[in-house]
Amino acid sequence: MNTGGDRSITWTLLAALLLQPVTASAAAGTEPVGEKMEAESKRASDSEVVDDADASGGQAVSNGKAWQPLVSVAAPAEGGDRLTVHVRHRGGPLLMKAVMDGKQVDRKSIFAKPEAWTWSSFGTFDRADLGSAVVIIRGAGDAPVAVDAVVFAPATGEKSATPKPQAAVPGVDGPALPAEAMEKSTEKTMPPAAPDASLAPVTFSATINWNEVVAKAQPTIWGVADYEIKGPKSAANEGYRSFLTKLNSPFIRIHHASLPMAWMTEDEKSWDVEKIKASWAAAGPAYGDAKLMLNLASWPKWMSREDGTLDIQHADAYAQLYVELMRIMRDDVGRKVDFWEITNERDGLYEKRERLPELWQLYNTVAAAIKKEDPNAQTGGPAFTWAKPQWVDGFLKECAPLADFVTYHNYGIGDSYDSNEKLYGTLNTIERHARFMRTAVDRSAPEGKHIPIFLDEYNVKWVWNPIEPRHANSVGAAFQAAVVRRVALAGIDGANVWHVKGNAYGLIDAENVERPTSAMFLWGPQHLVGDIAAANVSFATDADAQAVANADDAEQSPSAPDLVELLPVTGEDGRRALLVISKAPRTIVLQSATSLLGGAPSTVKRVDADGIHDQVELDADAPLTVPGYSLTLLSARS
């Protein structure tokens, strides 16, 4: 995930503003009385045991990366109805989660960052709210963090520290914000998921010149991102495979924060070939003929400095990992990787450490190694967190000769309480970033060479916790469709929505249930690939414009394009399709479907507040009535 523009939200800042820190439960040297577990015997799989003479057992557990689990401790079966959870740690912050029915649920955080070993408390909890186990995760920041031991102490007469119940988040990975950190004032309400029935319909006038081509909608503009492939078990899930087969995506980006580690041996020194083969054997057929972009988001811990950057002396070794994975994909898996994407959102970290030249050097080292192995391989990146000009210009200056494509990310907002109008307002920034990217890359390209650009991560909100409802409803579907339209008009060659499966962002949820946001990625490759025609929309009358301006829902007087966007596409076979994107909080009315298409549609589909409608009955010669917050597809294709 990423930040859109300079609006980055850090976990630490939110915590400082919205949460009171949990204080130390005892003096640094005073051990609480209760059931004690040494951290080294309960370490999480991604963490390492370190020797420390001052640790209670001579050893502790550490992890050099933020938001990674340190220890996982089974909740004691006996000891009272309520328990206080203590931890001996050095550095911080720490987040505690409870495993409830196999799912991790946020419980409490500690923000202290002691330089010496200190006992702190997460608070007192009802036993039932600790679930089957407690997982302690290191928070944000670059300083070393370690856990020595965990103590469950009986508690009586103390107020429970259990926060209000949260929805579980199975199948979701990423930087976690504590549930409390995003709780808002009760005066705020979530934006509506449906149009306002009390608002009168407004009529718009659409103009489409089917003979004027303004851009191309390529198949790759309807791409998705996936990470279920990282393990044989998740890749073999039948519901996931069934949806991926149905989706038949033309373009899939494989990315996860844990790659490459998820495909490596336990010591992170080499690839686990059998695991990679098993993962692809499970999910591979469901990938169909999709073009693939494969991203290694990070590097093994042994290659990393304490500040999270790659020790440049290991650059050749890191490049060799790519080369070896190329051979495995080619010779063992038998699957072509069309685009090798180097790094992911490392720009901010390297800039903060004043090491950006090293990042560009690392990119060139990896790209050169890949091309030495296969001169025809397509290398690119660096998956910019957003289109910050200093990053883009620096990368192009140093890396353009070895960049066959360029990638970047964009999200709309960082707060679920932001209004729908504010969310849709960010589309102008997203389009501006896309046009800047196209101009910058074209300026750096050799004469006559087109370098593709991919917006290979986008969605409504860049923070996954708490879950953003618009990732799964028609308000979000309209936003996603408008993103695709805007970047296609700007000349971007492909886009990958984040992502296929998961409760926070997925086109299907963790139980494989299709969401309204999935429909567009089924329709797009079938109906909306080809020449984009010139289109314009305006209010039909001054009275319609005034009605919108006077409405209570309007924070400022919106223009017609603020409320309605049109994506008219003529396919290679000459057949026309039109996607009507309604961002209005009310019903809108346009000319007839026959008038808009130049002929009666054979297919009419819709996504609205009530879900997905694969067959919509309408009078093709009557004015087209479209619900607010919706997508309507009109197609002449059979």
Side-chain angles (χ1 to χ4, degrees), residues 159 186 251 253 291 304 318 438 465 487 506 545 552 570 573:
K159 183 179 180 180
T186 56
F251 181 32
R253 180 193 188 222
K291 288 183 177 295
S304 183
Y318 184 56
R438 185 73 271 166
N465 190 14
V487 301
D552 292 338
T570 303
D573 56 6

Side-chain angles (χ1 to χ4, degrees), residues 139-217:
D142 302 314
V145 180
V147 169
D148 178 18
V150 178
V151 168
F152 292 93
T156 58
E158 297 181 47
K159 183 179 180 180
S160 172
T162 306
K164 69 174 70 173
Q166 279 279 112
V169 191
V172 175
D173 294 290
L177 284 172
E180 306 97 311
M182 292 299 287
E183 289 180 1
K184 298 292 182 177
S185 165
T186 56
E187 296 178 0
K188 289 192 174 184
T189 58
M190 296 295 288
D196 188 342
S198 69
L199 297 174
V202 171
T203 302
F204 293 83
S205 177
T207 303
I208 302 174
N209 184 350
W210 290 98
N211 295 317
E212 181 182 352
V213 177
V214 294
K216 292 280 187 179

Side-chain angles (χ1 to χ4, degrees), residues 30-287:
T30 304
E31 181 176 314
V33 177
E35 184 173 346
K36 180 181 179 182
M37 289 88 161
E38 293 292 345
E40 60 269 24
S41 66
K42 306 294 181 182
R43 77 174 182 91
S45 59
D46 290 337
S47 295
E48 60 179 339
V49 175
V50 294
D51 294 326
D52 192 310
D54 295 326
S56 60
Q59 290 182 316
V61 170
S62 184
N63 196 308
K65 295 181 181 178
W67 309 114
Q68 297 301 309
L70 292 161
V71 296
S72 180
V73 183
E78 300 178 354
D81 293 333
R82 287 189 292 174
L83 297 170
T84 302
V85 183
H86 304 270
V87 61
R88 191 170 190 246
H89 65 114
R90 188 172 58 201
L94 300 172
L95 168 65
M96 189 186 89
K97 294 191 174 189
V99 180
M100 311 290 290
D101 297 325
K103 304 175 179 69
Q104 292 185 13
V105 181
D106 290 354
R107 282 295 178 246
K108 205 70 174 178
S109 299
I110 293 171
F111 301 112
K113 304 175 184 178
E115 296 182 0
W117 289 114
T118 300
W119 282 103
S120 298
S121 170
F122 284 106
T124 300
F125 301 84
D126 294 336
R127 177 178 297 280
D129 291 316
L130 293 177
S132 60
V134 164
V135 180
I136 297 175
I137 298 171
R138 69 159 291 172
D142 302 314
V145 180
V147 169
D148 178 18
V150 178
V151 168
F152 292 93
T156 58
E158 297 181 47
K159 183 179 180 180
S160 172
T162 306
K164 69 174 70 173
Q166 279 279 112
V169 191
V172 175
D173 294 290
L177 284 172
E180 306 97 311
M182 292 299 287
E183 289 180 1
K184 298 292 182 177
S185 165
T186 56
E187 296 178 0
K188 289 192 174 184
T189 58
M190 296 295 288
D196 188 342
S198 69
L199 297 174
V202 171
T203 302
F204 293 83
S205 177
T207 303
I208 302 174
N209 184 350
W210 290 98
N211 295 317
E212 181 182 352
V213 177
V214 294
K216 292 280 187 179
Q218 302 183 54
T220 46
I221 208 73
W222 302 106
V224 299
D226 178 52
Y227 59 69
E228 301 302 303
I229 193 74
K230 70 185 183 128
K233 183 177 180 180
S234 57
N237 182 276
E238 188 57 39
Y240 153 76
R241 292 194 302 174
S242 176
F243 174 74
L244 203 60
T245 300
K246 175 183 177 181
L247 191 66
N248 194 26
S249 178
F251 181 32
I252 301 177
R253 180 193 188 222
I254 300 167
H255 162 77
H256 192 270
S258 68
L259 281 177
M261 281 68 78
W263 281 353
M264 300 193 78
T265 54
E266 188 172 350
D267 63 3
E268 297 182 0
K269 295 291 185 180
S270 60
W271 296 108
D272 186 336
V273 179
E274 294 307 313
K275 182 177 182 180
I276 296 172
K277 289 169 60 179
S279 298
W280 279 98
Y287 268 58

Side-chain angles (χ1 to χ4, degrees), residues 345-602:
E345 297 188 0
R346 299 289 84 190
D347 31 44
L349 171 66
Y350 272 76
E351 181 179 57
K352 181 179 179 181
R353 302 304 177 202
E354 298 183 347
R355 295 184 186 275
L356 274 175
E358 283 190 13
L359 182 60
W360 311 145
Q361 178 185 345
L362 175 63
Y363 172 89
N364 283 333
T365 299
V366 174
I370 290 174
K371 289 185 176 294
K372 182 178 179 180
E373 174 69 16
D374 179 1
N376 295 317
Q378 298 291 293
T379 58
F384 293 111
T385 305
W386 65 284
K388 186 175 181 178
Q390 295 93 321
W391 298 339
V392 177
D393 292 342
F395 172 79
L396 293 172
K397 179 181 178 181
E398 300 297 331
C399 306
L402 291 175
D404 298 305
F405 61 93
V406 179
T407 58
Y408 76 107
H409 300 165
N410 248 158
Y411 287 76
I413 57 172
D415 189 341
S416 295
Y417 288 85
D418 282 344
S419 69
N420 294 333
E421 290 76 21
K422 181 175 181 180
L423 169 65
Y424 292 141
T426 66
L427 290 165
N428 295 326
T429 300
I430 289 172
E431 182 175 353
R432 187 168 63 250
H433 287 177
R435 293 188 181 279
F436 161 73
M437 289 295 300
R438 185 73 271 166
T439 299
V441 171
D442 287 349
R443 187 170 55 238
S444 298
E447 185 175 356
K449 181 180 180 181
H450 176 78
I451 297 178
I453 303 172
F454 301 108
L455 172 62
D456 62 0
E457 259 191 51
Y458 70 93
N459 215 317
V460 171
K461 194 178 75 167
W462 63 74
V463 180
W464 74 259
N465 190 14
I467 291 176
E468 167 58 68
R470 288 170 289 196
H471 288 145
N473 66 26
S474 66
V475 177
F479 173 80
Q480 293 170 353
V483 170
V484 171
R485 174 185 175 272
R486 300 289 189 99
V487 301
L489 288 173
I492 300 303
D493 300 87
N496 304 81
V497 69
W498 182 259
H499 52 82
V500 168
K501 177 176 176 176
N503 281 349
Y505 290 91
L507 301 181
I508 56 175
D509 67 16
E511 304 303 322
N512 304 311
V513 177
E514 292 182 34
R515 292 164 153 177
T517 45
S518 69
M520 185 180 70
F521 298 94
L522 291 163
W523 302 346
Q526 298 175 31
H527 300 277
L528 296 164
V529 173
D531 294 333
I532 302 176
N536 185 48
V537 64
S538 60
F539 291 109
T541 66
D542 291 341
D544 289 298
Q546 192 61 45
V548 170
N550 293 340
D552 292 338
D553 61 289
E555 296 179 357
Q556 56 184 0
S557 298
S559 66
D562 289 332
L563 301 174
V564 186
E565 297 189 31
L566 304 177
L567 180 59
V569 178
T570 303
E572 290 185 0
D573 56 6
R575 296 187 180 181
R576 295 173 178 175
L578 172 65
L579 185 67
V580 179
I581 305 167
S582 172
K583 302 174 291 180
R586 66 174 80 220
T587 298
I588 66 171
V589 181
L590 295 164
Q591 299 101 298
S592 70
T594 298
S595 173
L596 292 169
L597 274 181
S602 58

